[in-house]
Amino acid sequence: MTGVFAGILAGLLGVGGGIVIVPVLFFLFQSFGVSAESAMLIATATSLATIVPTSISSIRSHHRQGNVDVDLLKHWAIFILIGVLLGSWQVTRVDGTWLTVLFGVIATLSALNMLFRSGKSALFASLPGKAGQTSMGAFIGFFSSMVGIGGGTLSVPLLTLCNYPAHKAVGTAAAIGLIISLPGALTMLLLGETPADAPAATFGLINLAGFACIVPLTVLCAPLGASLAAKLNAAKLKQVFAIVLLITGLRMLMQVFM
C-alpha cells in the first residue's frame, strides 16, 4: 500500500516518494515492535534504496522532454555527492531520534511551502554565483540523504525561489534524486550496523522486504497518478497533501518531544 500511495502521489502531484515512504515505514516498523530510533534509521535507508529505480525511470521521461539541465548537473553533481556521502555516513553514526526531528522539520517546512508559496513569484532574479550554487548542492545532498528523500523536496523549492523554470526544476530534480539515492543507499547498506530489533530481511540499514514490496508498485502506479492529474484538480489535491504532510511532520516531532 505504501508503494501504491507513493507512486500515485508522485505521478499526481510531482512529490518525491521519499516524503511519503519514510513516515509510513517509520510508523509501520514500530507496529512490528521496532523501537522508534531503529525504525527511523531503517525507514530512511530503505526509502533511499526505493528511490534508485524510480528516479531512473523518471530521468528517462524528463530527459525525452528536454527538462533535465545537464549543465547544472555537471556543476552541482560533485558537491551533491560530497553532501550525500557525509550525510549518509552520519546516519550510520547518529541516534535515530535526531533523524526523526530533522525529518519532522523538513516535512513541516515543505508542507508550509506547498500551502503558502505555491504559484508565488520567485524571491531572487537568478541562481547565485558558483559559491552559492556549490553550497546549495552540498546542502541538498547532505540533508536529503539524512532523511531518506530524493532531490525534489529540497531542490525544486530552492531552484524555483531563484527564478528557475519550474518544469526544468522538476526534471533536473529527478537526476539529483539518483545522485542522492544510489551512493546514500550503498553507504547505509555497507556501513550501517543492523539494529538488534530490526525487522526480518534487514541488511545494514536497508529492509529488503520493504524494498521488494514498494518498488514494483511505485513504478506501476506513477503513470496512474499522472493520468489522474489530467482529470482532477491537482492544485487542490496538492493542498490536501500538504495538510496531511504538515500533520505527519508535527506528529513525528510530537513523538520526540511529548
Side-chain angles (χ1 to χ4, degrees), residues 41 84-95 99 142 146 187:
L41 291 170
V84 168
L85 293 176
L86 289 173
S88 53
W89 175 81
Q90 190 72 17
V91 169
T92 67
R93 295 292 182 270
V94 301
D95 190 306
L99 297 183
F142 182 78
M146 283 200 73
T187 300

Side-chain angles (χ1 to χ4, degrees), residues 42-164:
I42 300 167
T44 298
T46 305
S47 174
L48 279 180
T50 66
I51 292 169
V52 175
T54 52
S55 64
I56 291 172
S57 175
S58 182
I59 289 168
R60 294 175 62 187
S61 175
H62 286 294
H63 190 265
R64 284 196 297 268
Q65 298 171 23
N67 290 334
V68 178
D69 191 335
V70 177
D71 291 334
L72 182 75
L73 288 172
K74 285 179 180 178
H75 177 60
W76 282 33
I78 185 62
F79 303 107
I80 295 171
L81 180 60
I82 291 170
V84 168
L85 293 176
L86 289 173
S88 53
W89 175 81
Q90 190 72 17
V91 169
T92 67
R93 295 292 182 270
V94 301
D95 190 306
T97 302
W98 294 107
L99 297 183
T100 305
V101 172
L102 183 59
F103 186 94
V105 170
I106 290 175
T108 300
L109 292 177
S110 298
L112 293 173
N113 178 71
M114 279 190 274
L115 284 171
F116 300 112
R117 287 273 329 150
S118 182
K120 297 291 180 66
S121 58
L123 292 180
F124 306 99
S126 63
L127 287 169
K130 288 187 176 181
Q133 291 189 50
T134 296
S135 299
M136 287 173 69
F139 172 88
I140 290 167
F142 182 78
F143 286 104
S144 295
S145 62
M146 283 200 73
V147 295
I149 57 178
T153 302
L154 294 179
S155 60
V156 172
L158 286 175
L159 287 170
T160 52
L161 281 175
C162 297
N163 204 28
Y164 193 85

Side-chain angles (χ1 to χ4, degrees), residues 179-258:
I179 299 171
I180 291 169
S181 59
L182 183 57
L186 286 174
T187 300
M188 295 178 197
L189 176 67
L190 300 175
L191 299 183
E193 183 177 346
T194 306
D197 59 347
T202 300
F203 296 87
L205 292 174
I206 295 177
N207 183 259
L208 296 185
F211 174 87
C213 290
I214 291 170
V215 168
L217 289 164
T218 301
V219 173
L220 285 172
C221 292
L224 174 60
S227 65
L228 286 174
K231 303 173 184 176
L232 303 175
N233 188 327
K236 291 293 184 184
L237 289 169
K238 197 165 189 175
Q239 290 179 335
V240 173
F241 173 71
I243 293 170
V244 173
L245 182 60
L246 179 62
I247 293 170
T248 301
L250 294 175
R251 172 69 181 82
M252 295 177 80
L253 291 173
M254 287 171 61
Q255 179 161 326
V256 174
F257 295 113
M258 296 183 69

Side-chain angles (χ1 to χ4, degrees), residues 7-63:
I8 290 176
L9 280 177
L12 184 62
L13 305 178
V15 299
I19 203 73
V20 176
I21 293 168
V22 171
V24 172
L25 290 182
F26 173 67
F27 292 114
L28 183 63
F29 287 148
Q30 289 181 75
S31 73
F32 296 157
V34 180
S35 67
E37 295 78 9
S38 299
M40 190 61 195
L41 291 170
I42 300 167
T44 298
T46 305
S47 174
L48 279 180
T50 66
I51 292 169
V52 175
T54 52
S55 64
I56 291 172
S57 175
S58 182
I59 289 168
R60 294 175 62 187
S61 175
H62 286 294
H63 190 265

